[in-house]
Amino acid sequence: MATEKPETPTEEQLEILEYNFCKVNKNPDPTTLCLIAAETGLSEEQTLKWFKQRLAQWRKSEGLPSESGSVRD
């Protein structure tokens, strides 16, 4: 059973992801996530993982809890 090496998004893909994170939605719904994945050429799973990690990073930088249970955006 072959294991897939996790792909690192290219600079162009990161620009698209960052744009959508900052300007569109920090926590996209499944439809938007699908569109972003299609635009970047990444899988929905990879895109979702990136958004989760980026949101945790953003929340930490804002001094918020890393999970969104206690504070609503």
Side-chain angles (χ1 to χ4, degrees), residues 46-58:
Q46 289 170 306
T47 306
L48 178 60
K49 183 178 180 182
W50 185 89
F51 268 89
K52 283 183 175 183
Q53 291 174 339
R54 183 64 179 86
L55 182 60
Q57 182 184 42
W58 176 81

Side-chain angles (χ1 to χ4, degrees), residues 27 55 59 65-73:
N27 196 11
L55 182 60
R59 292 179 72 81
S66 61
E67 295 299 320
S68 60
S70 61
V71 178
R72 294 280 174 201
D73 291 333

